[in-house]
Amino acid sequence: MDVCFNGFGENVLTFIASGTINAGDPVMISANGTVVKASGSFCGICLGVRNGYAAVQVQGYAKVAYSSAPSVGYAKISASGGKIAPDNDTGREYLVIDVDTTALTAGIML
């Protein structure tokens, strides 16, 4: 039997989307009520964009694409190019629950 963490403590906020943001991209706040694709620390994961607004998951379990696999457990992570990677210098700490080396995704708690 597989375990599932989807839906746990999910909270989603609506922001104005600035620039090109796609579902699955880590995002950061760039101005009052506005997000952009993250480069560095991120506040959440974009779930989708419609009519210039982005739905951003800011809490709960999220599957995110990675460019370099983080280790499970607590890890400092930042984002670049729509993907996450370990970043011990300037990254923010997240709980990494699982890493899928085939799909190149990591399940993290926001």
Side-chain angles (χ1 to χ4, degrees):
M1 179 171 108
D2 288 334
V3 295
C4 180
F5 304 102
N6 292 338
F8 176 81
E10 286 182 5
N11 284 310
V12 178
L13 301 175
T14 302
F15 289 90
I16 296 168
S18 179
T20 303
I21 303 172
N22 299 303
D25 286 344
V27 296
M28 59 193 278
I29 296 174
S30 61
N32 289 343
T34 305
V35 293
V36 295
K37 186 181 290 191
S39 61
S41 293
F42 56 98
C43 67
I45 306 300
C46 178
L47 299 179
V49 177
R50 188 172 72 192
N51 298 326
Y53 292 92
V56 178
Q57 182 181 345
V58 295
Q59 279 188 309
Y61 177 81
K63 279 273 194 193
V64 187
Y66 66 76
S67 57
S68 180
S71 298
V72 294
Y74 283 98
K76 288 189 175 183
I77 297 171
S78 65
S80 178
K83 297 180 180 182
I84 63 167
D87 182 349
N88 288 326
D89 295 327
T90 60
R92 192 170 154 210
E93 194 167 72
Y94 295 92
L95 177 58
V96 179
I97 294 187
D98 56 73
V99 176
D100 184 335
T101 57
T102 302
L104 303 178
T105 59
I108 63 172
M109 293 300 295
L110 296 170

